[in-house]
């Protein structure tokens, strides 16, 4: 389970086959499955909007390397990162969300 020292293992390293990230099976790893779903949604939305890492970084205020690490499953994103990416994309990333986190919370 992530948190504290458990975050030293990257989400992708919890997959049966890390090379298949973000589509690799992650049985028994619900937190890593959430990160994987966020990475898939991010990848899909960037492709849909034809956005580069640089463009999304400028829109969201999130460093390109942080975005790359999330896409590759090398890091556990925090709430601020996910929310800022959602705002930059104008689309939800969190699994099951129907709108951006800041919109759902009434933040503009």
């Amino acid at each position: 389970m992530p948190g504290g020292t458990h975050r030293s293992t990257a989400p992708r390293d919890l997959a049966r086959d890390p090379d298949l990230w973000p589509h690799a099976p992650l049985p028994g790893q619900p937190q890593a499955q959430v990160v994987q779903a966020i990475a898939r949604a991010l990848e899909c939305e960037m492709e849909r909007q034809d956005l580069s890492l640089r463009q999304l970084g400028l829109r969201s205020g999130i460093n390109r390397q942080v975005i790359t690490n999330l896409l590759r499953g090398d890091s556990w994103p925090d709430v601020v990162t996910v929310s800022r990416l959602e705002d930059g994309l104008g689309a939800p990333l969190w699994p099951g969300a129907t709108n951006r986190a800041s919109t759902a919370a009434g933040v503009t």
Side-chain angles (χ1 to χ4, degrees), residues 4-43:
T5 59
H6 297 286
R7 286 184 176 218
S8 61
T9 302
R12 71 177 278 125
D13 292 337
L14 297 171
R16 286 190 180 155
D17 185 350
D19 291 334
L20 295 178
W21 181 272
H23 304 284
L26 284 161
Q29 302 293 335
Q31 292 79 22
Q33 289 171 352
V34 170
V35 175
Q36 186 178 56
I38 291 168
R40 282 194 307 258
L42 177 58
E43 179 180 67

Side-chain angles (χ1 to χ4, degrees), residues 25-108:
L26 284 161
Q29 302 293 335
Q31 292 79 22
Q33 289 171 352
V34 170
V35 175
Q36 186 178 56
I38 291 168
R40 282 194 307 258
L42 177 58
E43 179 180 67
C44 181
E45 196 59 35
M46 286 179 69
E47 187 174 303
R48 187 183 76 73
Q49 295 185 33
D50 193 28
L51 287 175
S52 68
L53 291 168
R54 181 179 183 279
Q55 290 169 319
L56 180 54
L58 290 171
R59 279 189 184 186
S60 65
I62 299 296
N63 182 285
R64 290 180 300 174
Q65 189 60 53
V66 171
I67 299 168
T68 298
N69 290 346
L70 173 53
L71 288 168
R72 291 177 32 181
D74 290 337
S75 65
W76 297 92
D78 61 26
V79 174
V80 172
T81 298
V82 174
S83 180
R84 288 176 72 181
L85 288 170
E86 287 181 337
D87 287 345
L89 291 165
L93 297 176
W94 193 265
T98 56
N99 55 7
R100 298 183 334 260
S102 62
T103 301
V107 178
T108 55

